[in-house]
């Protein structure tokens, strides 16, 4: 999850009020400026996981070797499914809930099959999971080396590989300061090797609200015309950490690693599935490289609105304490709802690095395989032959609700 700027509750002293007003007079980007907020309740059960912003410095990230665990999985996933009480796909395009599995008990083979399932379904949900943060980190390390975030909070207990998501009554989101579209993102997509199979566990949540939505990059790609698909496959885009770093500094935080900007393909191929996914997001993608600004703006605006507005690409999850979501940051974007103030919403994220994003051309050259459209693969598996529309020819389609 990405940080969201909020307005602090008023303080009582004149000096503190003036200091607070000075901060509020600055222009903060609401997506990138985390506030220092804490209700002061140290008796809170999970106080050790409340957010803190240590003043430490980390070196720049360099390329690292990762193993794609989904490539090692049994495609039938029988080891994983045989121990589940129920496996339920929540929408055709994205989202699966598994009941009856204890994530603490997974074998390596089952973890590999989970990685493949997440790669296929985008996000997989589990409830009533008792794994602690150390077990969550161990599970995440199976999928890759863990990422340490340069600007957002870590827990008070000093676990630097844990990303803390925390809001309480002292942190009220300011809806006048941001649009919902801006909140959609793929975690730290500006990194050289952005995250892969990422997990989030909610440890305290509101009775209602605070849901998370995910949107499928596979489904977005499949929805496009063949000519537009081909065009997007030829493009790259700039992903930037600059606004997030500047927002952290504006909020008074130390940036623990120098911000970077990285160019990634607009359409990437998942190494385990071989499926094509649109890889841009409103949070961190700044421009299409090598095209006029007006063209870049038009392309990104269209894609961003499809991500955030098309319900056919999305799944929405209502959290409960001890719920866990595991999603593949390479093929989905996500956003939370901020409708639960003044309740506490507290979650812990573990974030493995994936491979450098691979374009369609590079994937096909390096593997000798043809990258595919997920939806066409699914239809083929169902014995359905679908003819893509010829350019310039359209057919009327009926719709009933």
């Amino acid at each position: 999850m990405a940080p969201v700027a909020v307005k602090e509750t008023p303080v009582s002293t004149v000096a503190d009020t003036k200091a607070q007003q000075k901060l509020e007079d600055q222009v903060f980007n609401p997506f990138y400026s985390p506030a220092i907020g804490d209700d002061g309740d140290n008796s809170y059960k999970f106080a050790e996981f409340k957010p803190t912003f240590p003043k430490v410095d980390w070196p720049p990230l360099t390329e690292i070797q990762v193993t794609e665990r989904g490539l090692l999985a049994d495609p039938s996933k029988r080891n994983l499914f045989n121990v589940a009480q129920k496996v339920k796909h929540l929408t055709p395009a994205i989202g699966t809930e598994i009941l009856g599995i204890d994530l603490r008990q997974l074998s390596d083979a089952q973890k590999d099959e989970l990685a493949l399932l997440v790669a296929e379904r985008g996000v997989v949900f589990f409830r009533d999971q008792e794994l602690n943060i150390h077990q969550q980190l161990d599970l995440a390390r199976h999928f890759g080396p863990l990422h340490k975030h340069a600007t957002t909070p870590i827990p008070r207990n000093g676990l630097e590989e844990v990303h803390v998501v925390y809001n309480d009554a002292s942190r009220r989101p300011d809806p006048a300061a941001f649009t919902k579209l801006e909140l959609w993102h793929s975690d730290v997509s500006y990194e050289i090797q952005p995250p892969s199979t990422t997990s989030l566990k909610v440890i305290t949540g509101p009775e209602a609200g605070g849901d998370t939505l995910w949107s499928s990059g596979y489904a977005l790609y499949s929805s496009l015309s063949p000519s537009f698909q081909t065009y997007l496959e030829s493009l790259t885009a700039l992903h930037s950490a600059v606004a997030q770093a500047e927002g952290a500094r504006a909020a008074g935080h130390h940036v623990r690693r120098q911000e970077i900007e990285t160019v990634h393909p607009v359409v990437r191929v998942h190494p385990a599935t071989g499926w094509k996914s649109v890889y841009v997001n409103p949070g961190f993608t700044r421009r299409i490289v090598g095209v006029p600004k007006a063209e870049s703006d038009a392309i990104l605006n269209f894609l961003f609105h499809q991500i955030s507005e098309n319900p056919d690409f999305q799944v929405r999850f209502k959290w409960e304490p001890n719920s866990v979501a595991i999603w593949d940051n390479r093929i989905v974007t996500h956003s939370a709802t901020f409708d639960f103030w003044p309740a506490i919403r507290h979650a812990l994220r573990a974030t493995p690095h994936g491979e450098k994003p691979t374009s369609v051309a590079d994937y096909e050259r390096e593997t000798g395989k043809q990258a595919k459209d997920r939806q066409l693969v699914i239809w083929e598996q169902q014995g359905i032959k679908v003819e893509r529309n010829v350019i310039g020819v359209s057919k009327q389609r009926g719709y009933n609700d």
Side-chain angles (χ1 to χ4, degrees), residues 247-269:
R249 293 186 183 104
H253 302 315
H254 177 71
V255 175
R256 301 184 287 273
R257 185 170 53 242
Q258 185 65 36
E259 60 268 32
I260 66 169
E261 295 184 320
T262 308
V263 174
H264 294 312
V266 170
V267 176
R268 68 182 297 176
V269 182

Side-chain angles (χ1 to χ4, degrees), residues 379-393:
W379 281 332
E380 183 179 346
Q381 291 172 348
Q382 296 171 342
I384 302 170
K385 184 178 181 180
V386 176
E387 303 249 350
R388 302 304 301 265
N389 286 344
V390 179
I391 303 302
V393 177

Side-chain angles (χ1 to χ4, degrees), residues 70-89:
L71 286 172
L72 306 177
D74 179 344
S76 73
K77 308 173 195 69
R78 63 173 178 264
N79 296 295
L80 182 68
F81 290 163
N82 283 348
V83 298
Q85 293 177 2
K86 187 175 183 180
V87 179
K88 181 180 180 181
H89 296 326

Side-chain angles (χ1 to χ4, degrees), residues 176-212:
F178 60 91
T179 70
K180 295 299 184 181
L181 183 140
E182 293 174 89
L183 303 182
W184 284 90
H185 63 286
S186 175
D187 294 318
V188 296
S189 64
Y190 47 76
E191 300 289 20
I192 299 171
Q193 291 175 249
S196 59
T197 313
T198 303
S199 64
L200 187 77
K201 178 180 178 180
V202 165
I203 55 178
T204 303
E207 187 67 27
D211 299 352
T212 302

Side-chain angles (χ1 to χ4, degrees), residues 59-235:
L61 295 175
T62 57
E63 289 189 42
I64 50 178
Q65 183 67 37
V66 297
T67 299
E68 175 48 53
R69 305 301 305 192
L71 286 172
L72 306 177
D74 179 344
S76 73
K77 308 173 195 69
R78 63 173 178 264
N79 296 295
L80 182 68
F81 290 163
N82 283 348
V83 298
Q85 293 177 2
K86 187 175 183 180
V87 179
K88 181 180 180 181
H89 296 326
L90 302 181
T91 81
I94 181 174
T96 296
E97 185 166 359
I98 299 183
L99 303 179
I101 281 182
D102 185 340
L103 291 173
R104 297 173 297 180
Q105 305 300 323
L106 295 183
S107 66
D108 284 353
Q110 289 168 329
K111 293 174 186 176
D112 292 345
E113 291 172 12
L114 176 58
L116 180 57
L117 179 65
V118 174
E120 293 172 349
R121 297 294 302 162
V123 56
V124 177
F125 305 108
F126 304 86
R127 298 193 185 275
D128 303 317
Q129 296 297 313
E130 297 293 336
L131 81 169
N132 61 38
I133 186 57
H134 300 286
Q135 293 164 330
Q136 184 181 350
L137 290 172
D138 286 343
L139 175 62
R141 288 190 189 98
H142 183 80
F143 306 123
L146 296 187
H147 178 263
K148 297 194 297 187
H149 205 294
T151 62
T152 58
I154 69 169
R156 288 179 181 177
N157 61 18
L159 292 173
E160 294 180 341
E161 294 169 323
V162 176
H163 171 94
V164 177
V165 177
Y166 182 81
N167 289 87
D168 61 26
S170 71
R171 309 179 70 189
R172 183 179 182 181
D174 180 6
F178 60 91
T179 70
K180 295 299 184 181
L181 183 140
E182 293 174 89
L183 303 182
W184 284 90
H185 63 286
S186 175
D187 294 318
V188 296
S189 64
Y190 47 76
E191 300 289 20
I192 299 171
Q193 291 175 249
S196 59
T197 313
T198 303
S199 64
L200 187 77
K201 178 180 178 180
V202 165
I203 55 178
T204 303
E207 187 67 27
D211 299 352
T212 302
L213 297 88
W214 285 263
S215 182
S216 169
Y218 290 150
L220 173 52
Y221 177 87
S222 296
S223 73
L224 303 173
S225 66
S227 56
F228 195 45
Q229 289 176 337
T230 301
Y231 176 54
L232 292 184
E233 289 172 18
S234 72
L235 300 176

Side-chain angles (χ1 to χ4, degrees), residues 296-307:
S296 172
D297 290 349
I299 293 169
L300 290 179
N301 185 63
F302 168 74
L303 295 175
F304 292 167
H305 279 275
Q306 287 295 298
I307 288 168

